Amino acid sequence: MKKHLPEDFVMPSFVSTPNNENSDPTTELLIDLTDQSIAGFSPSLSNSKNPDISNKSTLSNSSSTNFFGDTLATKTIGQFDLNYLLSPMAEPETTKATATENNFDKPIERWLNVNIRAGDSLTKIFKQLGLDTRIALEIARRSDAKILNMLRTGPYLQLLVRGKRLISLRYQPDLLSILSVDLQGETYRVNKIQRQFDVVERTATGIIQSSLLESGIAKGISQSLLFNFASIFQWQIDFNKDVRSGDQYTFIYEERYLEGRKFSSGPILAAELIVRGNMYRAIRHIGKNGANQYFTPEGESLQGLFLRSPMRIARITSPFSKKRYHPVLKKWRAHKGVDYAGRIGDPVMATADGIVTFAGRKHQYGKVVILQHGQKYSTLYAHLSNIAGKIQKNRTVAQGQVIGYVGKTGLTTGPHLHYEFQINGVHKDPHNVKLPRSFAIDRSLRPTFMKNSDFWSKRLNQLARR
Ligand SMILES: [Zn+2]
Protein backbone atom coordinates (compact mmCIF):
# COMPACT_ATOMS: atom_id res chain seq x y z
CA MET A 1 0.00 0.00 0.00
CA LYS A 2 1.33 3.41 -0.87
CA LYS A 3 1.24 5.77 2.03
CA HIS A 4 0.74 9.46 1.63
CA LEU A 5 0.78 11.55 4.72
CA PRO A 6 1.19 15.30 4.92
CA GLU A 7 4.74 16.44 5.55
CA ASP A 8 3.91 17.99 8.85
CA PHE A 9 2.19 14.97 10.22
CA VAL A 10 3.67 13.81 13.48
CA MET A 11 1.65 11.81 15.88
CA PRO A 12 1.41 12.94 19.44
CA SER A 13 3.55 11.27 22.05
CA PHE A 14 0.85 8.99 23.34
CA VAL A 15 1.38 6.70 20.40
CA SER A 16 5.08 6.41 20.96
CA THR A 17 7.25 3.96 22.77
CA PRO A 18 10.66 5.06 24.01
CA ASN A 19 12.69 2.36 22.30
CA ASN A 20 11.47 3.20 18.83
CA GLU A 21 13.90 6.02 18.56
CA ASN A 22 16.17 6.26 15.60
CA SER A 23 19.45 7.17 17.18
CA ASP A 24 21.33 7.92 13.98
CA PRO A 25 21.42 11.70 13.86
CA THR A 26 21.65 12.08 10.13
CA THR A 27 19.60 9.47 8.38
CA GLU A 28 16.10 10.69 9.10
CA LEU A 29 14.72 13.64 7.23
CA LEU A 30 11.75 15.82 6.83
CA ILE A 31 11.07 14.41 3.37
CA ASP A 32 11.24 10.91 4.72
CA LEU A 33 8.31 11.72 6.92
CA THR A 34 5.91 11.46 4.04
CA ASP A 35 6.88 7.88 3.63
CA GLN A 36 7.71 5.77 6.61
CA SER A 37 9.83 7.42 9.22
CA ILE A 38 7.13 9.19 11.14
CA ALA A 39 8.12 9.07 14.73
CA GLY A 40 7.37 5.63 16.00
CA PHE A 41 5.33 4.71 12.97
CA SER A 42 7.87 2.84 10.96
CA PRO A 43 6.47 -0.65 10.54
CA SER A 44 9.87 -2.15 11.23
CA LEU A 45 9.98 -0.56 14.64
CA SER A 46 6.96 -2.21 16.12
CA ASN A 47 5.39 -5.49 15.36
CA SER A 48 1.90 -6.79 15.87
CA LYS A 49 3.24 -10.31 15.93
CA ASN A 50 5.25 -9.48 18.99
CA PRO A 51 3.64 -11.72 21.65
CA ASP A 52 4.24 -9.15 24.38
CA ILE A 53 2.03 -6.73 22.58
CA SER A 54 -0.60 -9.00 21.11
CA ASN A 55 -1.26 -10.84 24.36
CA LYS A 56 -2.26 -7.62 26.01
CA SER A 57 -4.09 -6.45 22.98
CA THR A 58 -7.78 -5.91 23.20
CA LEU A 59 -8.06 -6.41 19.47
CA SER A 60 -8.29 -9.84 18.03
CA ASN A 61 -7.44 -8.89 14.49
CA SER A 62 -5.45 -5.85 13.58
CA SER A 63 -4.39 -6.69 10.08
CA SER A 64 -7.08 -5.42 7.77
CA THR A 65 -7.72 -1.89 8.86
CA ASN A 66 -4.28 -0.90 9.91
CA PHE A 67 -2.93 1.86 7.71
CA PHE A 68 0.63 0.64 7.86
CA GLY A 69 -0.25 -2.99 8.15
CA ASP A 70 1.07 -3.10 11.63
CA THR A 71 0.47 -2.41 15.26
CA LEU A 72 2.13 0.72 16.35
CA ALA A 73 2.61 0.97 20.08
CA THR A 74 1.01 0.16 23.35
CA LYS A 75 0.09 2.23 26.32
CA THR A 76 -1.87 1.69 29.45
CA ILE A 77 -4.96 3.77 29.86
CA GLY A 78 -6.90 2.98 32.95
CA GLN A 79 -6.78 -0.78 33.29
CA PHE A 80 -6.46 -1.43 29.57
CA ASP A 81 -3.39 -2.07 27.57
CA LEU A 82 -4.29 -0.71 24.20
CA ASN A 83 -2.93 -1.05 20.78
CA TYR A 84 -2.87 2.15 18.86
CA LEU A 85 -3.77 1.57 15.30
CA LEU A 86 -3.69 3.85 12.39
CA SER A 87 -6.77 2.85 10.51
CA PRO A 88 -8.17 5.30 8.03
CA MET A 89 -11.90 5.61 7.55
CA ALA A 90 -11.62 4.24 4.06
CA GLU A 91 -13.09 1.00 5.28
CA PRO A 92 -15.81 2.01 7.72
CA GLU A 93 -17.59 -1.32 7.32
CA THR A 94 -14.65 -3.21 8.69
CA THR A 95 -14.40 -0.85 11.60
CA LYS A 96 -18.10 -1.08 12.30
CA ALA A 97 -18.12 -4.83 12.02
CA THR A 98 -15.30 -5.18 14.49
CA ALA A 99 -16.92 -2.81 16.91
CA THR A 100 -20.27 -4.56 16.82
CA GLU A 101 -18.76 -7.99 17.00
CA ASN A 102 -16.99 -7.19 20.22
CA ASN A 103 -20.00 -5.50 21.69
CA PHE A 104 -21.97 -8.48 22.89
CA ASP A 105 -20.40 -9.08 26.20
CA LYS A 106 -18.19 -6.46 27.68
CA PRO A 107 -17.46 -3.65 25.25
CA ILE A 108 -13.78 -3.24 24.58
CA GLU A 109 -11.91 0.00 24.20
CA ARG A 110 -10.03 0.65 21.03
CA TRP A 111 -8.37 3.52 19.26
CA LEU A 112 -9.63 4.39 15.80
CA ASN A 113 -7.41 6.47 13.60
CA VAL A 114 -9.51 8.60 11.37
CA ASN A 115 -8.41 9.99 8.06
CA ILE A 116 -10.43 13.19 7.83
CA ARG A 117 -11.74 13.87 4.34
CA ALA A 118 -12.92 17.10 2.79
CA GLY A 119 -16.43 17.92 4.03
CA ASP A 120 -16.18 15.73 7.10
CA SER A 121 -17.58 16.98 10.38
CA LEU A 122 -17.27 15.36 13.75
CA THR A 123 -20.93 14.33 13.64
CA LYS A 124 -20.56 12.85 10.19
CA ILE A 125 -17.51 10.87 11.29
CA PHE A 126 -19.31 9.61 14.40
CA LYS A 127 -22.24 8.56 12.28
CA GLN A 128 -20.03 6.69 9.83
CA LEU A 129 -18.31 4.88 12.67
CA GLY A 130 -21.58 3.98 14.33
CA LEU A 131 -20.84 6.10 17.38
CA ASP A 132 -23.28 8.14 19.41
CA THR A 133 -23.66 11.37 17.41
CA ARG A 134 -25.13 13.24 20.38
CA ILE A 135 -21.68 13.13 21.96
CA ALA A 136 -20.16 14.66 18.82
CA LEU A 137 -22.71 17.46 18.92
CA GLU A 138 -22.14 18.05 22.60
CA ILE A 139 -18.37 18.29 22.20
CA ALA A 140 -18.45 20.43 19.07
CA ARG A 141 -20.74 22.93 20.83
CA ARG A 142 -18.22 23.60 23.56
CA SER A 143 -16.38 26.90 23.33
CA ASP A 144 -13.05 25.30 24.25
CA ALA A 145 -13.40 22.74 21.45
CA LYS A 146 -14.54 25.10 18.69
CA ILE A 147 -11.63 24.03 16.57
CA LEU A 148 -13.39 20.70 16.02
CA ASN A 149 -15.94 22.48 13.86
CA MET A 150 -13.34 23.08 11.17
CA LEU A 151 -11.49 19.82 10.81
CA ARG A 152 -8.49 19.81 8.55
CA THR A 153 -8.28 16.94 6.11
CA GLY A 154 -5.78 14.20 6.80
CA PRO A 155 -5.00 11.58 9.45
CA TYR A 156 -5.31 14.00 12.35
CA LEU A 157 -8.03 12.48 14.45
CA GLN A 158 -7.96 9.55 16.83
CA LEU A 159 -10.86 8.26 18.82
CA LEU A 160 -10.82 5.92 21.76
CA VAL A 161 -14.20 4.23 21.85
CA ARG A 162 -16.02 1.69 23.94
CA GLY A 163 -18.99 0.35 22.06
CA LYS A 164 -20.80 3.41 20.74
CA ARG A 165 -19.33 5.63 23.39
CA LEU A 166 -16.43 8.05 23.00
CA ILE A 167 -13.86 7.73 25.76
CA SER A 168 -11.13 9.98 24.39
CA LEU A 169 -10.44 12.07 21.32
CA ARG A 170 -7.16 13.42 20.01
CA TYR A 171 -7.10 15.97 17.26
CA GLN A 172 -4.06 17.66 15.77
CA PRO A 173 -5.13 21.06 14.38
CA ASP A 174 -1.56 21.85 13.41
CA LEU A 175 1.85 20.32 13.70
CA LEU A 176 2.65 21.60 17.16
CA SER A 177 -0.67 21.39 18.96
CA ILE A 178 -3.00 18.64 20.09
CA LEU A 179 -6.52 18.94 21.37
CA SER A 180 -7.59 16.18 23.70
CA VAL A 181 -11.07 15.38 24.94
CA ASP A 182 -11.39 12.78 27.69
CA LEU A 183 -14.33 11.32 29.47
CA GLN A 184 -14.06 11.89 33.20
CA GLY A 185 -16.95 10.55 35.15
CA GLU A 186 -19.94 11.61 33.10
CA THR A 187 -18.44 14.71 31.47
CA TYR A 188 -15.82 15.42 28.87
CA ARG A 189 -12.71 17.38 29.70
CA VAL A 190 -10.94 19.36 27.00
CA ASN A 191 -7.22 20.01 27.02
CA LYS A 192 -4.89 21.76 24.63
CA ILE A 193 -1.31 20.65 24.46
CA GLN A 194 1.27 22.86 22.81
CA ARG A 195 4.43 21.13 21.69
CA GLN A 196 7.81 22.62 20.87
CA PHE A 197 10.75 21.68 18.77
CA ASP A 198 14.06 21.07 20.47
CA VAL A 199 16.84 22.37 18.30
CA VAL A 200 20.20 20.62 18.32
CA GLU A 201 23.27 21.85 16.52
CA ARG A 202 25.27 19.34 14.46
CA THR A 203 28.36 19.42 12.33
CA ALA A 204 29.37 17.50 9.25
CA THR A 205 32.76 17.41 7.66
CA GLY A 206 34.53 15.22 5.18
CA ILE A 207 36.74 14.80 2.19
CA ILE A 208 35.21 14.32 -1.22
CA GLN A 209 36.28 11.12 -2.95
CA SER A 210 34.21 10.72 -6.11
CA SER A 211 31.39 13.19 -5.62
CA LEU A 212 30.01 15.23 -2.75
CA LEU A 213 26.86 13.13 -2.71
CA GLU A 214 28.61 9.76 -2.63
CA SER A 215 31.17 10.82 -0.06
CA GLY A 216 28.59 12.47 2.16
CA ILE A 217 26.18 9.57 2.05
CA ALA A 218 29.03 7.19 2.84
CA LYS A 219 29.56 9.23 6.02
CA GLY A 220 25.89 8.96 6.91
CA ILE A 221 24.90 12.48 5.91
CA SER A 222 21.43 12.70 4.44
CA GLN A 223 20.95 13.37 0.78
CA SER A 224 18.73 16.36 1.38
CA LEU A 225 21.34 18.04 3.57
CA LEU A 226 23.95 17.44 0.89
CA PHE A 227 21.66 18.94 -1.73
CA ASN A 228 21.11 21.93 0.53
CA PHE A 229 24.83 22.30 0.97
CA ALA A 230 25.45 22.10 -2.77
CA SER A 231 22.69 24.58 -3.49
CA ILE A 232 24.32 27.17 -1.23
CA PHE A 233 27.40 27.19 -3.45
CA GLN A 234 25.67 26.50 -6.74
CA TRP A 235 26.37 30.00 -8.04
CA GLN A 236 30.10 29.66 -7.45
CA ILE A 237 30.68 25.97 -8.05
CA ASP A 238 29.44 23.58 -10.66
CA PHE A 239 29.44 20.40 -8.61
CA ASN A 240 29.37 18.37 -11.81
CA LYS A 241 32.57 19.82 -13.09
CA ASP A 242 34.62 21.80 -10.58
CA VAL A 243 34.81 19.42 -7.63
CA ARG A 244 37.70 16.94 -7.44
CA SER A 245 38.59 14.13 -5.11
CA GLY A 246 40.43 15.54 -2.11
CA ASP A 247 38.20 18.62 -1.90
CA GLN A 248 36.67 19.22 1.52
CA TYR A 249 33.32 20.17 2.92
CA THR A 250 32.32 21.32 6.39
CA PHE A 251 29.01 22.57 7.64
CA ILE A 252 27.09 23.30 10.81
CA TYR A 253 23.38 22.66 10.79
CA GLU A 254 20.36 22.34 12.99
CA GLU A 255 18.24 19.35 13.74
CA ARG A 256 14.77 19.67 15.10
CA TYR A 257 13.32 17.19 17.52
CA LEU A 258 9.75 16.81 18.60
CA GLU A 259 9.34 15.04 21.92
CA GLY A 260 12.65 13.29 21.61
CA ARG A 261 12.22 12.19 18.03
CA LYS A 262 14.05 13.70 15.11
CA PHE A 263 11.73 15.67 12.93
CA SER A 264 13.93 17.40 10.40
CA SER A 265 17.49 18.32 9.45
CA GLY A 266 18.47 21.81 8.51
CA PRO A 267 18.84 24.66 7.96
CA ILE A 268 22.58 24.88 7.40
CA LEU A 269 23.96 27.71 9.56
CA ALA A 270 27.48 27.97 8.20
CA ALA A 271 29.28 26.12 5.45
CA GLU A 272 32.72 25.78 3.99
CA LEU A 273 33.85 24.18 0.78
CA ILE A 274 37.46 23.86 -0.31
CA VAL A 275 37.78 23.23 -4.01
CA ARG A 276 41.28 22.75 -5.38
CA GLY A 277 42.72 24.82 -2.57
CA ASN A 278 40.19 27.65 -2.90
CA MET A 279 38.02 28.19 0.11
CA TYR A 280 34.37 29.19 -0.15
CA ARG A 281 32.36 30.05 2.91
CA ALA A 282 28.72 30.81 3.49
CA ILE A 283 26.94 32.23 6.53
CA ARG A 284 23.21 31.89 6.97
CA HIS A 285 21.10 35.01 7.31
CA ILE A 286 17.37 35.02 7.92
CA GLY A 287 15.76 37.33 5.40
CA LYS A 288 12.82 39.63 5.97
CA ASN A 289 10.34 36.99 4.84
CA GLY A 290 11.92 34.43 7.16
CA ALA A 291 13.70 32.60 4.35
CA ASN A 292 17.28 31.44 4.73
CA GLN A 293 19.75 33.39 2.65
CA TYR A 294 23.47 32.83 2.40
CA PHE A 295 26.22 35.41 2.22
CA THR A 296 29.98 35.31 2.19
CA PRO A 297 31.53 36.06 5.60
CA GLU A 298 32.06 39.61 4.27
CA GLY A 299 28.35 40.03 3.59
CA GLU A 300 28.42 39.62 -0.19
CA SER A 301 25.59 37.64 -1.68
CA LEU A 302 26.40 34.11 -2.71
CA GLN A 303 23.35 34.08 -4.85
CA GLY A 304 24.31 34.91 -8.40
CA LEU A 305 21.98 35.96 -11.14
CA PHE A 306 22.79 32.70 -12.94
CA LEU A 307 23.18 29.13 -11.84
CA ARG A 308 26.38 27.56 -13.08
CA SER A 309 24.56 24.53 -14.35
CA PRO A 310 21.03 23.95 -15.65
CA MET A 311 21.02 20.39 -14.32
CA ARG A 312 21.35 19.20 -10.77
CA ILE A 313 23.42 16.18 -11.57
CA ALA A 314 25.13 16.13 -14.91
CA ARG A 315 28.43 15.52 -16.56
CA ILE A 316 29.77 17.76 -19.29
CA THR A 317 30.36 15.66 -22.37
CA SER A 318 31.29 18.46 -24.74
CA PRO A 319 32.56 21.84 -23.55
CA PHE A 320 32.22 25.22 -25.19
CA SER A 321 34.75 25.39 -27.99
CA LYS A 322 35.62 27.48 -31.02
CA LYS A 323 36.24 24.33 -33.03
CA ARG A 324 35.15 20.75 -32.53
CA TYR A 325 34.48 17.74 -34.71
CA HIS A 326 30.74 17.34 -34.95
CA PRO A 327 29.77 13.69 -34.37
CA VAL A 328 26.67 13.83 -36.58
CA LEU A 329 27.67 16.32 -39.26
CA LYS A 330 31.18 14.78 -39.42
CA LYS A 331 32.86 18.12 -39.82
CA TRP A 332 34.68 20.73 -37.78
CA ARG A 333 32.70 23.60 -36.45
CA ALA A 334 32.35 25.71 -33.33
CA HIS A 335 30.43 24.30 -30.41
CA LYS A 336 28.64 27.34 -29.09
CA GLY A 337 27.31 25.72 -25.99
CA VAL A 338 27.95 23.11 -23.36
CA ASP A 339 26.60 19.56 -23.56
CA TYR A 340 25.52 17.76 -20.42
CA ALA A 341 25.01 14.03 -20.36
CA GLY A 342 21.69 13.02 -18.98
CA ARG A 343 18.98 10.44 -19.14
CA ILE A 344 15.76 11.05 -20.98
CA GLY A 345 13.41 12.81 -18.62
CA ASP A 346 16.03 14.36 -16.32
CA PRO A 347 14.78 17.82 -15.33
CA VAL A 348 16.34 20.92 -16.86
CA MET A 349 16.26 24.16 -14.85
CA ALA A 350 16.17 27.80 -15.87
CA THR A 351 19.57 29.16 -14.81
CA ALA A 352 18.08 32.58 -14.00
CA ASP A 353 14.82 34.46 -13.73
CA GLY A 354 13.63 35.46 -17.17
CA ILE A 355 11.01 35.49 -19.87
CA VAL A 356 10.37 32.72 -22.38
CA THR A 357 11.11 34.05 -25.86
CA PHE A 358 10.78 30.70 -27.62
CA ALA A 359 9.40 27.29 -26.68
CA GLY A 360 8.95 24.71 -29.41
CA ARG A 361 10.77 22.94 -32.23
CA LYS A 362 13.65 24.57 -34.03
CA HIS A 363 15.62 22.72 -36.75
CA GLN A 364 18.68 20.94 -35.38
CA TYR A 365 17.93 22.00 -31.81
CA GLY A 366 14.81 19.81 -31.68
CA LYS A 367 12.52 20.83 -28.85
CA VAL A 368 14.11 23.94 -27.42
CA VAL A 369 13.46 26.68 -24.87
CA ILE A 370 15.04 30.13 -25.14
CA LEU A 371 14.95 32.53 -22.19
CA GLN A 372 15.74 36.23 -22.03
CA HIS A 373 17.17 37.56 -18.78
CA GLY A 374 17.01 41.35 -18.59
CA GLN A 375 18.44 43.28 -21.52
CA LYS A 376 21.78 41.57 -21.97
CA TYR A 377 21.51 37.88 -21.29
CA SER A 378 19.80 34.95 -22.93
CA THR A 379 20.02 31.18 -22.47
CA LEU A 380 18.99 28.24 -24.64
CA TYR A 381 18.17 24.64 -23.74
CA ALA A 382 18.04 22.17 -26.63
CA HIS A 383 17.24 18.54 -27.58
CA LEU A 384 14.52 18.35 -24.91
CA SER A 385 12.21 15.36 -24.84
CA ASN A 386 9.48 17.58 -23.48
CA ILE A 387 8.91 21.20 -22.58
CA ALA A 388 7.30 21.78 -19.17
CA GLY A 389 3.61 22.68 -19.31
CA LYS A 390 3.83 26.29 -18.18
CA ILE A 391 6.69 27.18 -20.49
CA GLN A 392 5.13 29.23 -23.24
CA LYS A 393 6.21 32.34 -25.09
CA ASN A 394 6.15 35.52 -22.95
CA ARG A 395 5.67 33.61 -19.71
CA THR A 396 8.04 34.42 -16.88
CA VAL A 397 10.21 31.75 -15.30
CA ALA A 398 12.04 31.67 -11.99
CA GLN A 399 15.60 30.59 -11.45
CA GLY A 400 15.73 26.86 -10.75
CA GLN A 401 12.28 26.28 -12.24
CA VAL A 402 12.04 23.12 -14.34
CA ILE A 403 11.48 24.23 -17.92
CA GLY A 404 11.81 20.88 -19.69
CA TYR A 405 13.33 17.43 -19.70
CA VAL A 406 16.43 15.92 -21.25
CA GLY A 407 15.81 14.23 -24.59
CA LYS A 408 17.32 13.56 -27.97
CA THR A 409 15.18 15.63 -30.31
CA GLY A 410 16.87 17.42 -33.21
CA LEU A 411 20.35 16.69 -34.47
CA THR A 412 21.96 14.55 -31.80
CA THR A 413 23.48 11.12 -31.31
CA GLY A 414 21.92 10.48 -27.92
CA PRO A 415 20.11 12.05 -25.01
CA HIS A 416 21.82 15.13 -23.66
CA LEU A 417 21.19 18.77 -22.88
CA HIS A 418 22.76 21.38 -25.11
CA TYR A 419 22.98 24.68 -23.19
CA GLU A 420 23.90 28.06 -24.68
CA PHE A 421 24.63 31.33 -22.97
CA GLN A 422 24.65 34.69 -24.76
CA ILE A 423 25.59 38.18 -23.70
CA ASN A 424 24.31 40.85 -26.11
CA GLY A 425 23.79 38.21 -28.75
CA VAL A 426 27.32 36.80 -28.51
CA HIS A 427 27.83 33.18 -27.43
CA LYS A 428 29.90 32.83 -24.27
CA ASP A 429 31.22 29.88 -22.34
CA PRO A 430 28.82 29.71 -19.36
CA HIS A 431 31.58 28.16 -17.29
CA ASN A 432 34.11 30.87 -17.89
CA VAL A 433 32.03 34.00 -18.21
CA LYS A 434 32.19 36.32 -15.23
CA LEU A 435 28.70 36.37 -13.86
CA PRO A 436 27.16 39.26 -11.97
CA ARG A 437 26.24 38.87 -8.32
CA SER A 438 22.74 39.80 -7.32
CA PHE A 439 23.00 41.77 -4.07
CA ALA A 440 24.90 42.26 -0.84
CA ILE A 441 23.50 42.30 2.65
CA ASP A 442 21.29 45.23 3.52
CA ARG A 443 23.27 48.11 5.01
CA SER A 444 21.07 48.33 8.09
CA LEU A 445 21.44 44.59 8.80
CA ARG A 446 25.16 44.55 8.22
CA PRO A 447 26.38 45.08 11.82
CA THR A 448 24.26 42.18 13.10
CA PHE A 449 25.28 39.99 10.23
CA MET A 450 28.99 40.71 10.77
CA LYS A 451 28.72 39.69 14.43
CA ASN A 452 27.09 36.44 13.37
CA SER A 453 29.61 35.96 10.66
CA ASP A 454 32.47 36.36 13.13
CA PHE A 455 31.00 33.76 15.40
CA TRP A 456 30.40 31.19 12.67
CA SER A 457 33.73 31.80 10.97
CA LYS A 458 35.49 30.99 14.25
CA ARG A 459 33.43 27.83 14.54
CA LEU A 460 34.40 26.82 11.02
CA ASN A 461 38.05 27.52 11.82
CA GLN A 462 37.83 25.22 14.84
CA LEU A 463 36.23 22.46 12.79
CA ALA A 464 38.86 22.80 10.09
CA ARG A 465 41.66 22.46 12.62
CA ARG A 466 40.30 19.25 14.08
ZN1 LIG B 1 25.88 20.83 -27.96
Side-chain angles (χ1 to χ4, degrees):
M1 192 191 337
K2 192 138 173 77
K3 296 152 296 195
H4 282 292
L5 289 172
E7 271 190 11
D8 62 350
F9 177 62
V10 171
M11 288 310 293
S13 59
F14 63 86
V15 294
S16 64
T17 50
N19 48 357
N20 281 354
E21 221 151 308
N22 183 348
S23 56
D24 182 338
T26 49
T27 50
E28 205 180 42
L29 284 168
L30 182 57
I31 35 173
D32 294 337
L33 287 171
T34 56
D35 205 0
Q36 58 177 3
S37 301
I38 290 166
F41 274 43
S42 173
S44 61
L45 297 175
S46 55
N47 190 344
S48 62
K49 291 174 192 81
N50 181 339
D52 278 351
I53 296 171
S54 53
N55 286 347
K56 292 174 191 166
S57 170
T58 52
L59 288 155
S60 48
N61 180 4
S62 63
S63 62
S64 62
T65 55
N66 190 330
F67 202 37
F68 287 153
D70 216 329
T71 305
L72 299 162
T74 63
K75 195 188 176 188
T76 307
I77 288 191
Q79 55 184 7
F80 294 97
D81 272 329
L82 295 169
N83 278 351
Y84 294 80
L85 300 178
L86 196 61
S87 52
M89 285 185 60
E91 303 166 75
E93 266 103 353
T94 321
T95 314
K96 244 191 253 173
T98 318
T100 338
E101 195 184 308
N102 294 320
N103 247 346
F104 290 122
D105 239 315
K106 177 179 143 212
I108 58 142
E109 289 188 1
R110 59 171 300 188
W111 279 99
L112 304 171
N113 285 267
V114 179
N115 193 26
I116 303 163
R117 291 171 301 193
D120 275 352
S121 67
L122 202 57
T123 321
K124 192 172 166 191
I125 290 167
F126 270 52
K127 200 172 175 186
Q128 282 175 325
L129 289 171
L131 302 174
D132 188 344
T133 51
R134 285 171 303 177
I135 296 173
L137 285 168
E138 182 196 322
I139 293 168
R141 261 203 300 269
R142 291 179 58 140
S143 60
D144 52 358
K146 258 187 206 150
I147 205 157
L148 289 170
N149 290 312
M150 278 177 59
L151 297 174
R152 67 161 167 161
T153 55
Y156 302 116
L157 181 67
Q158 295 180 312
L159 305 171
L160 178 64
V161 298
R162 188 196 299 140
K164 289 184 163 196
R165 191 137 203 229
L166 177 76
I167 306 299
S168 288
L169 173 154
R170 300 284 182 273
Y171 172 60
Q172 199 190 328
D174 57 67
L175 174 64
L176 293 178
S177 36
I178 297 161
L179 180 90
S180 69
V181 178
D182 298 290
L183 183 64
Q184 284 190 355
E186 285 305 302
T187 56
Y188 287 96
R189 222 187 143 92
V190 176
N191 258 306
K192 280 173 195 146
I193 305 158
Q194 203 59 39
R195 304 187 290 176
Q196 270 184 345
F197 282 121
D198 294 317
V199 177
V200 177
E201 199 184 292
R202 305 258 182 224
T203 58
T205 177
I207 293 167
I208 296 169
Q209 303 297 341
S210 49
S211 73
L212 172 72
L213 202 59
E214 275 178 45
S215 308
I217 285 172
K219 284 203 94 176
I221 302 167
S222 75
Q223 185 170 305
S224 92
L225 265 179
L226 293 163
F227 274 139
N228 287 347
F229 177 82
S231 72
I232 290 170
F233 295 108
Q234 67 186 318
W235 287 275
Q236 282 72 42
I237 301 294
D238 184 339
F239 280 82
N240 308 315
K241 174 175 164 285
D242 301 335
V243 171
R244 295 279 185 277
S245 102
D247 290 343
Q248 291 170 51
Y249 63 89
T250 302
F251 57 93
I252 304 163
Y253 64 100
E254 284 180 354
E255 271 181 355
R256 296 207 278 172
Y257 287 77
L258 198 53
E259 294 170 347
R261 288 173 195 290
K262 184 155 75 183
F263 178 73
S264 65
S265 298
I268 290 173
L269 307 171
E272 178 185 284
L273 179 67
I274 297 174
V275 173
R276 290 185 245 180
N278 296 317
M279 188 175 78
Y280 300 84
R281 277 185 173 179
I283 308 292
R284 192 272 303 257
H285 172 75
I286 301 171
K288 274 185 196 138
N289 56 0
N292 293 307
Q293 301 173 335
Y294 293 90
F295 292 88
T296 67
E298 294 74 38
E300 294 293 319
S301 175
L302 278 155
Q303 198 167 321
L305 286 174
F306 285 90
L307 300 177
R308 278 288 174 194
S309 160
M311 288 177 68
R312 212 198 255 280
I313 298 168
R315 189 166 46 85
I316 291 175
T317 48
S318 181
F320 186 89
S321 126
K322 294 260 149 62
K323 212 173 170 209
R324 75 151 184 181
Y325 190 72
H326 195 280
V328 178
L329 297 175
K330 311 265 187 233
K331 57 185 173 190
W332 290 89
R333 66 176 213 180
H335 187 229
K336 292 181 171 180
V338 174
D339 289 349
Y340 292 90
R343 289 163 307 183
I344 288 190
D346 283 351
V348 174
M349 302 180 292
T351 48
D353 292 354
I355 291 169
V356 180
T357 54
F358 185 87
R361 281 189 178 270
K362 215 178 180 98
H363 320 293
Q364 302 180 353
Y365 284 129
K367 283 188 187 170
V368 61
V369 172
I370 303 173
L371 304 178
Q372 183 72 35
H373 315 278
Q375 298 291 310
K376 283 165 74 177
Y377 303 94
S378 71
T379 54
L380 174 150
Y381 313 77
H383 307 313
L384 302 174
S385 58
N386 266 306
I387 293 167
K390 286 179 183 166
I391 304 304
Q392 290 157 13
K393 197 175 174 177
N394 294 329
R395 289 276 189 101
T396 58
V397 291
Q399 184 174 62
Q401 186 179 336
V402 173
I403 54 169
Y405 305 90
V406 170
K408 52 176 184 176
T409 55
L411 192 66
T412 165
T413 50
H416 76 280
L417 173 73
H418 172 89
Y419 174 60
E420 290 182 14
F421 190 96
Q422 289 188 15
I423 301 178
N424 294 325
V426 180
H427 287 92
K428 297 279 179 189
D429 181 352
H431 290 283
N432 283 328
V433 70
K434 201 164 162 52
L435 298 176
R437 290 269 176 92
S438 57
F439 56 91
I441 194 134
D442 201 89
R443 190 179 286 265
S444 64
L445 300 171
R446 204 179 160 80
T448 318
F449 175 80
M450 291 312 289
K451 248 185 233 165
N452 269 330
S453 170
D454 246 35
F455 174 82
W456 290 115
S457 297
K458 278 181 192 140
R459 287 288 312 277
L460 288 171
N461 290 343
Q462 284 164 2
L463 285 169
R465 261 187 254 116
R466 265 206 320 221

